[in-house]
Structure formats: structure tokens, C-alpha cells
Amino acid sequence: MAFRDQAKKLEGEKVKVDTVNGTFVGKLVDVKNSTLILRDNEGKRVVIRDSKIIALVELKNPHHKDNLL
């Protein structure tokens, strides 16, 4: 499965994106052909090119029902 398809599954979730320019945390708003768009905690839009991404990780809510024993 392609990176874009996997990233699309995380739309609307809080994610951490490691890039060659640093680490960004926020809600994944949109996945385009060559970019990811995040909304950070301050409400600012962050556009990240796919070519700069090293890792994309979902940050799970520890109180979410799927995470409870």
C-alpha cells in the first residue's frame, strides 16, 4: 500500500510527523498528492511535502475506548 493511502487513513487524527526539517505535531487535516496538511495546537496550518517526510505516527488518545483494558 502506498504512503498516501496509509496517510489517508489517519485523516482527522492527531499525528506526529518527523521530517528532515524537524518534528511537527497536530491534527492531520488533508492528504494531497505530494503534501500533508496539519493543523497545530495554535490553529496554524502546516503544509509538509512528502519528499521531506521521514516518519508519520498516529498519537493515540490514552483515554480512547480502544486503549482501555
Side-chain angles (χ1 to χ4, degrees), residues 3 17-20 35-36 48-56:
F3 173 78
V17 183
D18 292 323
T19 71
V20 295
T35 59
L36 296 181
I48 305 170
R49 289 181 173 242
D50 286 353
S51 61
K52 302 291 184 186
I53 296 173
I54 297 169
L56 173 65

Side-chain angles (χ1 to χ4, degrees), residues 15-33:
V15 296
K16 179 175 88 168
V17 183
D18 292 323
T19 71
V20 295
N21 298 327
T23 301
F24 300 92
V25 176
K27 183 178 179 181
L28 184 59
V29 177
D30 199 5
V31 178
K32 301 285 187 187
N33 280 338

